[in-house]
Amino acid sequence: MRNRKAINTNNEDITNILPEECISYILSLTSPADVCRSKLVSPVFRSAADSDTIWGKFLPSDYYDIISNASSSSSSKLLTSSMSKTQLYFHLCKNPIIIDNGTMSFGLDKATGKKCYMLGARRLSISWANTPRYWRWKRVPESRFSEVAELKEVWWLDVKGTIETKILSPNTPYVAYLVYKFSSSRYGFEKKPVDLHVELGESDAGRTFRIFLDPSANIPQFSREREDGWMEVKLGEFFNEHGDDGKATCSLREVDNYTPKKGLIIEGIDIRPKDSR
């Protein structure tokens, strides 16, 4: 009993042995999700988990260059000068920034720190998009982009988006989603399924899914509502190993010339790490 007491007396809390800087360094070798969970351990861990040492390592190495490409120079300066790295990390998780002249958005996946991009409708290749008879460009308050594309009527629907894999996080499985909604007046999408497809570079032919975007009650629903009020449907997925596969191409097609289609509103294509959200 005497020996056991001696052992217990010498048992010290790790937070009394290691300085907070060491705890922060150790936490930086884990993941953002683990760091957030560590805050529940003790006040010392909570303080260490808020260190810029940690969250600076979770930010992408090229984050400054990406932010510098923000559409508004004032917002870029605000993000880089007035926020700590901890604040910047969580800001990018909740508030994607608009880059590339307003055609893309960039953010981070909260659990992993991996890069997330959305290709806005203006960045997509949409057949007949600049023909007013078939498509209309308009601003809607619920979109992060200045314009979305609304389908007035087409028989041939062909939408493609491409992204360079070198700008994505390496060693990461990605999923691409079409982000859309329908106007109050719509037709065609309940009658004919659309083909959804993602392919990586020239070596991966990818896989095609055929679904109804506006299914009737007896047909499975593959779309889901997002937190921002839009709908999303999975186009496909791919694995970005080293970022040297060239481009990932995501597409939506329905080219039956006998079925007119109307009322689809496209915000963009969201490309984010698998299992995020």
Side-chain angles (χ1 to χ4, degrees):
M1 289 294 290
R2 205 173 284 170
N3 287 340
R4 187 178 297 170
K5 261 188 187 179
I7 291 172
N8 288 341
T9 305
N10 293 329
N11 244 350
E12 292 192 62
D13 188 335
I14 189 173
T15 59
N16 294 327
I17 301 173
L18 293 176
E20 187 176 305
E21 293 79 8
C22 289
I23 296 175
S24 293
Y25 175 75
I26 293 169
L27 289 176
S28 73
L29 302 177
T30 62
S31 70
D34 290 332
V35 173
C36 289
R37 283 191 286 265
S38 75
K39 292 184 177 184
L40 302 175
V41 174
S42 71
V44 174
F45 267 82
R46 191 178 309 117
S47 176
D50 288 331
S51 167
D52 265 15
T53 301
I54 296 177
W55 297 102
K57 291 193 175 184
F58 291 147
L59 287 168
S61 59
D62 58 348
Y63 79 91
Y64 185 84
D65 292 334
I66 297 172
I67 291 174
S68 297
N69 195 21
S71 294
S72 168
S73 59
S74 59
S75 65
S76 170
K77 289 177 182 176
L78 174 67
L79 289 172
T80 54
S81 63
S82 66
M83 291 186 179
S84 67
K85 289 184 173 65
T86 305
Q87 292 170 326
L88 178 59
Y89 181 93
F90 288 102
H91 179 86
L92 291 174
C93 292
K94 295 179 181 178
N95 306 283
I97 60 171
I98 304 301
I99 60 174
D100 278 12
N101 298 314
T103 64
M104 289 179 70
S105 72
F106 165 76
L108 296 177
D109 175 51
K110 183 178 179 180
T112 64
K114 303 286 188 178
K115 296 176 181 177
C116 305
Y117 287 94
M118 186 187 288
L119 311 176
R122 275 293 185 190
R123 198 178 182 91
L124 305 179
S125 172
I126 304 175
S127 294
W128 314 108
N130 294 317
T131 305
R133 175 183 171 187
Y134 302 120
W135 288 88
R136 179 163 72 108
W137 292 93
K138 67 177 187 177
R139 177 169 182 78
V140 294
E142 62 270 24
S143 176
R144 67 183 67 177
F145 298 107
S146 60
E147 287 182 304
V148 298
E150 181 177 2
L151 175 59
K152 294 176 74 173
E153 186 179 64
V154 295
W155 281 258
W156 183 286
L157 178 67
D158 191 0
V159 180
K160 287 188 180 69
T162 61
I163 189 167
E164 296 278 354
T165 58
K166 65 184 179 182
I167 72 171
L168 300 173
S169 297
N171 300 312
T172 303
Y174 274 93
V175 184
Y177 297 88
L178 176 74
V179 182
Y180 72 99
K181 60 175 56 177
F182 285 111
S183 65
S184 56
S185 175
R186 65 182 189 261
Y187 55 72
F189 293 98
E190 79 289 356
K191 295 180 180 178
K192 292 289 292 186
V194 296
D195 291 336
L196 311 175
H197 186 78
V198 171
E199 62 183 58
L200 183 62
E202 297 178 356
S203 59
D204 179 15
R207 183 179 170 193
T208 298
F209 299 90
R210 180 165 289 183
I211 68 158
F212 285 91
L213 270 187
D214 191 21
S216 55
N218 60 334
I219 295 177
Q221 169 71 267
F222 290 95
S223 303
R224 65 183 178 188
E225 187 173 359
R226 295 160 52 98
E227 291 180 359
D228 57 12
W230 290 83
M231 299 293 292
E232 69 177 18
V233 64
K234 179 180 173 181
L235 297 173
E237 55 187 76
F238 62 94
F239 184 77
N240 185 44
E241 190 169 4
H242 304 299
D244 54 5
D245 291 305
K247 298 178 181 179
T249 302
C250 317
S251 63
L252 161 75
R253 296 188 84 216
E254 203 295 293
V255 293
D256 177 1
N257 284 332
Y258 299 99
T259 306
K261 294 163 282 290
K262 176 184 178 179
L264 178 67
I265 302 174
I266 298 176
E267 183 182 34
I269 292 178
D270 197 13
I271 300 169
R272 62 180 189 258
K274 190 175 181 178
D275 299 328
S276 65
R277 295 191 193 174

